[in-house]
Amino acid sequence: MAHLCFQVLSTSFFTPKPQIPVLLSPGAACIKSIHQYRYLYLKAMQDDKFSTPPCDESKVRVPHVLTVAGSDSGGGAGIQADIKACAARGVYCSTVITAVTAQNTVGVQGVNIVPEDFVAEQLRSVLSDMPPNVVKTGMLPSTGIVKTLCQSLKEFPVQALVVDPVMVSTSGHTLAGPSILDSFREELLPMADIVTPNLKEASALLGGVPLETIADMRSAAKAIHDIGPRNVLVKGGDLPASLDAVDVFYDGISSNFLRSLGINWNDFYEFRSSRIMTPNTHGTGCTLASTVAAELAKGSQMLSAVKVAKRYVEAVLSYSKNIAIGGGCQGPMDHLLKLKSNVERRPFDPCDLFLYAVTDSRMNKKWGRSIVDAVKAAIEGGASIIQLREKEVETGDFLEAAKACLKICRVHGVPLLINDRIDVALASDADGVHIGQSDMPAHVARALLGPDKIIGVSCKTPEHAQQAWIDGADYIGSGGVYPTNTKENNKTIGLDGLKTVCVSSKLPVVAIGGIGMSNAQAVMRLGVPNLKGVAVVSALFDRECVMTETRKLLEVLKESTKIAK
Ligand SMILES: Cc1ncc(COP(=O)(O)OP(=O)(O)O)c(N)n1
Ligand SMILES: Cc1ncsc1CCOP(=O)(O)O
Ligand SMILES: [Mg+2]
């Protein structure tokens, strides 16, 4: 938004700090200085940029992207991809539709361009009433629409403009012809904060120069930058001989400017990632640009917005690589992977607490087995839930073990929880945590872990149990029921204490502490309905054969339920 930034200064959204000269009509010649001032200005404003306007403190500001693009009936690209990407990134998305396309996974069957004056009306409706932080453009199918958009943005300035110069569909259909190039070069690109061409689009913007190598991409990024956008991302997905996917990011003006101040600055960045082999790549360009826009709307700096967007697209590609939608050769991605993966994870079932195996690194070391082998054996023996309780393991090793155990647990449909370490649970994407009274409060753990993860809390009293319920826990662990050497200085509550907690608890309960083959039946025979099972450490892991011990204990537990009936 090269020549809009000075109008932005006068809006209530920003509280101007530095004194910045007002340049009202920037030709190409003054773009550099405008960018330089804007760079300084945005740096100075970084902290204030997204503060709520002082006049309306009660309202919660929602990051907002307006996408100006074409509709894809197949739902994989265009407006539909933009809405989904923004939603996945937690950003509100409004839309101005420039064209309606009839397309599917086979190709584009038809294009109906929205009349220019109706594009103008949509722009006015959104920009005048619900100003977005960032505008992102996709398919702009006529010179008139480009001009209308530029005019609207001059009238209603926004914080950033992300231009995805869509020209040809992935199936080869022309979506914006060569006549559009002049208006891109003369009007739209000089206003852009970032432009994200693929190789074909970069070549077209530069009059058809061949782009075949990463060196070519660098030259192209520089040449496009000279047209006026503040940043350029040339996407190398179509590089012929490349195995890796390499995109080149160029931020020339600020680097020259910073160098002139004696600050060393790298103006080229290469984003390199291994290729994900999948036919489901339709909509990657729209998704990347929308995610950059969404991250900018949330307040990110440009380079980190691009980094996050690249990572997000890779994650979506990888998640969607085997999905089957449509009969054509290029399928769409599934943007809402997070929702999906949570849905696919089996929700917590209190019956999972029946035979709860809790690991102990000291015991496993003593018997010469790894955590992973211990978990495998417990699952083979019939454990219905696993907790990694690794008090003596380094964080990095704990994380690796958690990831490896998670793979095994997922295959068997057995939930995996982490004792104490919410960071390890988050980093490994484990199914949840078990926390004690002196660990982080359960409501804080819930806020960190989100609604879908399992949280267990240790409770010795009805008050603890009541608090665990209020805090949003899923189950409670109650004990030590019997004396144990596994946990030092742990008060024993006995069967009576356990019963008191169970009776008062609104949550399912698992008993813990000194439980094994000899006393598991006595525990289960308490007969309180929400006592769902026993949690065991030494009876399984301080033994030579974990699988055999688990099997035997499972039989005892099954037997006890029969007797209880
Ligand atoms: C199922 C279950 N119940 C209780 C505990 C004990 O947790 P905590 O009180 O945090 O003690 P440590 O296990 O951290 O020593 C548990 N781990 N699992
Ligand atoms: C972690 C814990 N919390 C209460 S008792 C206990 C230890 C249980 O270990 P064991 O099953 O070996 O008695
Ligand atoms: Mg603990």
Side-chain angles (χ1 to χ4, degrees), residues 393-444:
V393 173
E394 298 283 336
T395 301
D397 295 338
F398 196 174
L399 180 56
E400 285 316 306
K403 285 182 181 166
C405 291
L406 195 61
K407 279 193 189 148
I408 299 160
C409 287
R410 290 271 154 86
V411 169
H412 293 88
V414 172
L416 178 79
L417 307 191
I418 307 293
N419 180 284
D420 295 346
R421 300 287 302 266
I422 289 163
D423 55 341
V424 174
L426 278 169
S428 62
D429 195 27
D431 298 301
V433 291
H434 185 92
I435 49 181
Q437 289 297 322
S438 54
D439 295 321
M440 184 183 287
H443 68 91
V444 180

Side-chain angles (χ1 to χ4, degrees), residues 199 211-214 217 235-242 244 246 275:
L199 287 186
L211 299 177
E212 282 157 9
T213 63
I214 294 171
M217 288 167 70
K235 298 173 294 188
D238 297 330
L239 272 179
S242 157
D244 283 350
V246 178
R275 279 183 195 275

Side-chain angles (χ1 to χ4, degrees), residues 219-241:
S219 313
K222 218 166 181 170
I224 294 170
H225 190 271
D226 285 342
I227 299 173
R230 288 187 69 220
N231 302 278
V232 181
L233 181 73
V234 179
K235 298 173 294 188
D238 297 330
L239 272 179

Side-chain angles (χ1 to χ4, degrees), residues 363 389 479-480 483-487 490 512-515 535-539:
M363 293 174 195
R389 182 177 178 269
T484 174
N485 292 326
T486 307
K487 185 171 169 62
N490 188 49
I512 188 167
I515 301 173
V536 191
V537 187
S538 53

Side-chain angles (χ1 to χ4, degrees), residues 317-355:
L317 275 173
S318 158
Y319 176 76
S320 316
K321 67 177 191 267
N322 296 322
I323 63 173
I325 297 181
C329 57
Q330 200 188 31
M333 304 184 295
D334 193 349
H335 295 75
L336 298 169
L337 73 167
K338 222 165 174 184
L339 292 180
K340 253 314 195 339
S341 53
N342 284 342
V343 168
E344 278 170 6
R345 186 176 297 157
R346 189 167 59 76
F348 174 63
D349 176 351
C351 296
D352 291 336
L353 299 172
F354 193 56
L355 204 181

